[in-house]
Amino acid sequence: MQHNPKRRRRAGLALGAALIAGAVALPGAAEAVGQLTLNQHGGAQRAVGDQTQAVRKAIKNADAKNVILLIGDGMGDSEITIARNYQYGAAGRLPGLDALPLTGSYTTYSLVKDGVNKGKPDYVTDSAASGSAWATGTKTYDGAISVDIDGKPQQTILETAKANGLRTGDVSTAEIQDATPAVQVAHVGSRSCYGPDTAACGADALQNGGLGSISEQLLNTRPDVTLGGGSASFQQTAKAGPYAGDTLFDQAEQRGYQVVSDAAGLAGVRKADQKSPVLGLFTPGNFPTRYAPTTATVGGADQAAVRCTPNPARLDTGLSLASLTNKTIDLLNRGKNGKGFFLQVEGASIDKQDHAADACGQIGETIDFDEAVQAALAFAKQDGNTLVIATADHAHSSQIVDNTPPTSLSTALVTADGTTMKVSYGTSGAGASQQHTGTQVRIAAYGPGAANVVGLTDQTDTFFTMSESLRLDEDLAALSRHARVDLSVGAPRPGQRVAVTGSRFAGDRQVRVQVGSTDLGTVDVIDGTASVTWKAVAGKATVTVTGVQSGKQASTQVRVR
């Protein structure tokens, strides 16, 4: 009997659709779906027919209203393949990551901080340097959070988006102070500068004249929505500044944040904006993983192959990464502000479980991340004006191997195909942390501007892809150029209370207010406006409001009779 190519292709599509739907998660089921099995001619084919029209249709001009950047921390090609093989089979597809139509790779190297090789490539990056690169467009050294190799703060795309009137969000399954979420909201020389008690903050500490810890700077940056772990650092007490002596949780509430700590609290949030931003911290540290851990051992892949089991400590499904992504999109997309939003979402523990040589741990986190990608993609397809980018900060150490390595740590897993996959970790010994690797990683995208990820780029290119697609103005001084200051009373009497209001400070997140020689302190800018009360003192004085970020000054004269 002569085989029919069209029939074969239709069967291949049926197989792929079933795999995507999760209908063939049982061992051996992949070979039973459709009219072809993997061993037949064309049985493993993924692309059906000429793809030219599909690719052409996916290319849209870079003119997005919204950008959703999803980061799988430590999610190299190997981590993606391991998760796909386990959950969907070798011929399967990850419904989120593998559905993004335009794909490329980017380089991830960082820079040497000092010495004779200062500014030259450091071939294996950490999350801080890589995240800083896509957040700011500037390469830096390992451990740096959005500062250059000389320690100078670099403006982040979240900060720039906010200055341009967009709503902003920062979501992670890690501590919100961890490197990837931190790069959007803070500028410190050491990624470990979590809170005011952290000795590593050094000159960055508020009491030492710096910008403060990551947690304190997050409150200053004021994203509309911040969700993750890391509540422990917010129980620390500020050592300096206007909130000295208060815990960071107390400070957040005084500054108008809606603070939530569980799924029910998050579900009850109905809006998020600059007047009442959302701070959701659901664990003291990182989120528990989806799957219970496995332990790789020397010779472990020769032991009986195992299946991953649910982690009983996993958080409520309302706090899954997909749920957090959907909730954040819903909040950012509400209201009268039609300028759009920027959102960063991180699946953090792919990396953390890779470090621990925990195959099931990293697989579960990759699947969780893929579900978040699905959520973002579903919104983008419905919205029509959203750029979705999914990528990683660096690759990691897990490898699919044919034979059990004699010296490396390894694990054997039963996949969706019903066969054994051996996973090896060969960059550190038992009990030590596995290392990152320096290879390029996948970047994939959908929506306006997605074509800019195709080919080989660098992670710094991602900053410009997002910024240019959103048409962001990076000149903060220009954004605050129309700033002015007004007084509630034109000619106050001594002792009378006067509201000093700075307005049109679009390029600023805080302003400093001074009346004559009296410093009224730093005040949050809410939708371009900041206000503070002054008790009038007899005499004539200059009232000056200065943008902290832009340096723009606005002033007026006051005479108290």
Side-chain angles (χ1 to χ4, degrees):
M1 178 179 172
Q2 186 178 16
H3 81 247
N4 184 332
K6 291 183 179 179
R7 183 181 182 187
R8 172 175 63 78
R9 289 175 178 172
R10 286 196 296 271
L13 279 174
L15 172 60
L19 286 164
I20 290 171
V24 293
L26 297 176
E31 289 82 358
V33 175
Q35 300 174 21
L36 293 177
T37 57
L38 294 178
N39 65 307
Q40 289 182 283
H41 179 66
Q45 182 184 10
R46 291 187 182 275
V48 180
D50 183 5
Q51 301 297 301
T52 305
Q53 283 298 111
V55 173
R56 185 178 289 123
K57 186 178 179 181
I59 297 173
K60 300 179 180 179
N61 291 340
D63 187 17
K65 179 180 178 182
N66 313 306
V67 166
I68 305 173
L69 172 65
L70 300 110
I71 303 296
D73 200 305
M75 189 187 69
D77 281 346
S78 185
E79 285 70 31
I80 293 172
T81 309
I82 289 169
R84 184 193 300 113
N85 287 351
Y86 179 83
Q87 198 80 1
Y88 298 104
R93 293 173 64 86
L94 290 160
L97 285 165
D98 293 337
L100 295 167
L102 297 170
T103 304
S105 297
Y106 72 36
T107 50
T108 63
Y109 63 92
S110 54
L111 300 180
V112 177
K113 179 182 180 182
D114 44 34
V116 295
N117 289 322
K118 180 177 180 178
K120 292 183 179 180
D122 179 348
Y123 296 107
V124 182
T125 189
D126 77 339
S127 299
S130 189
S132 296
W134 77 64
T136 70
T138 305
K139 289 272 191 185
T140 191
Y141 61 90
D142 287 357
I145 298 295
S146 294
V147 297
D148 66 14
I149 58 173
D150 295 316
K152 181 180 179 181
Q154 302 293 295
Q155 190 172 306
T156 76
I157 189 164
L158 187 148
E159 293 169 338
T160 304
K162 182 181 174 184
N164 280 259
L166 278 70
R167 293 187 175 183
T168 57
D170 195 8
V171 175
S172 178
T173 56
E175 295 164 304
I176 204 66
Q177 305 87 356
D178 203 9
T180 301
V183 298
Q184 294 292 355
V185 298
H187 308 272
V188 293
S190 172
R191 60 180 289 176
S192 61
C193 179
Y194 273 26
D197 291 347
T198 309
C201 289
D204 289 318
L206 275 179
Q207 61 268 31
N208 295 329
L211 296 176
S213 66
I214 293 168
S215 298
E216 291 168 296
Q217 290 191 54
L218 186 160
L219 294 176
N220 289 341
T221 301
R222 206 176 177 91
D224 295 281
V225 182
T226 303
L227 304 177
S231 62
S233 294
F234 278 78
Q235 293 171 346
Q236 297 176 20
T237 300
K239 305 295 187 292
Y243 300 96
D246 293 330
T247 69
L248 302 194
F249 272 130
D250 290 339
Q251 181 184 152
E253 291 181 349
Q254 291 174 47
R255 296 173 78 170
Y257 280 84
Q258 302 176 73
V259 179
V260 296
S261 59
D262 56 25
L266 181 60
V269 175
R270 295 289 178 262
K271 69 172 184 177
D273 54 29
Q274 283 302 287
K275 291 181 180 178
S276 53
V278 175
L279 177 63
L281 300 177
F282 308 106
T283 52
N286 303 314
F287 283 18
T289 57
R290 179 184 189 127
Y291 288 149
T294 50
T295 303
T297 59
V298 174
D302 278 340
Q303 304 301 311
V306 300
R307 288 190 173 93
C308 301
T309 58
N311 182 1
R314 189 187 185 199
L315 299 181
D316 185 286
T317 54
L319 299 177
S320 70
L321 190 59
S323 295
L324 296 183
T325 301
N326 276 324
K327 181 67 174 183
T328 305
I329 291 171
D330 181 53
L331 290 171
L332 296 180
N333 197 46
R334 288 187 183 188
K336 298 179 181 179
N337 181 350
K339 291 187 177 181
F341 64 80
F342 169 79
L343 168 61
Q344 179 178 288
V345 176
E346 183 201 23
S349 285
I350 305 167
D351 168 83
K352 298 179 191 306
Q353 304 318 310
D354 224 327
H355 277 301
D358 175 2
C360 280
Q362 75 181 58
I363 288 169
E365 297 313 287
T366 307
I367 299 305
D368 261 18
F369 177 74
D370 189 71
E371 291 172 353
V373 176
Q374 292 176 55
L377 188 55
F379 169 77
K381 286 182 175 179
Q382 183 179 30
D383 175 71
N385 294 301
T386 299
L387 170 62
V388 174
I389 299 175
T391 187
D393 48 359
H394 55 75
H396 224 301
S397 56
S398 60
Q399 294 291 323
I400 304 168
V401 295
D402 196 18
N403 298 302
T404 303
T407 58
S408 298
L409 305 177
S410 60
T411 300
L413 299 169
V414 181
T415 71
D417 296 313
T419 56
T420 297
M421 175 174 63
K422 296 184 176 184
V423 179
S424 173
Y425 300 86
T427 58
S428 290
S433 179
Q434 301 298 311
Q435 299 179 46
H436 301 169
T437 60
T439 187
Q440 63 196 39
V441 297
R442 181 202 286 203
I443 180 170
Y446 169 87
N452 290 305
V453 309
V454 173
L456 179 64
T457 59
D458 183 76
Q459 88 269 74
T460 52
D461 285 287
T462 309
F463 170 86
F464 297 101
T465 294
M466 297 186 296
S467 178
E468 290 167 8
S469 191
L470 291 170
R471 304 169 309 284
L472 298 182
D473 184 349
E474 296 181 47
D475 189 343
L476 298 185
L479 291 170
S480 288
R481 64 182 175 274
H482 297 302
R484 57 177 292 167
V485 58
D486 294 289
L487 307 177
S488 61
V489 182
R493 300 183 303 275
Q496 188 173 3
R497 294 198 171 274
V498 180
V500 179
T501 301
S503 59
R504 301 181 184 177
F505 278 92
D508 291 280
R509 300 184 294 282
Q510 285 82 38
V511 293
R512 294 190 184 93
V513 183
Q514 192 160 7
V515 181
S517 60
T518 303
D519 187 355
L520 300 185
T522 301
V523 184
D524 287 329
V525 175
I526 309 297
D527 297 328
T529 300
S531 186
V532 65
T533 300
W534 169 61
K535 188 175 181 180
V537 178
K540 182 179 179 181
T542 300
V543 180
T544 304
V545 179
T546 305
V548 172
Q549 285 74 36
S550 71
K552 173 66 179 179
Q553 285 192 337
S555 61
T556 190
Q557 297 295 313
V558 60
R559 181 185 295 276
V560 181
R561 299 178 182 180

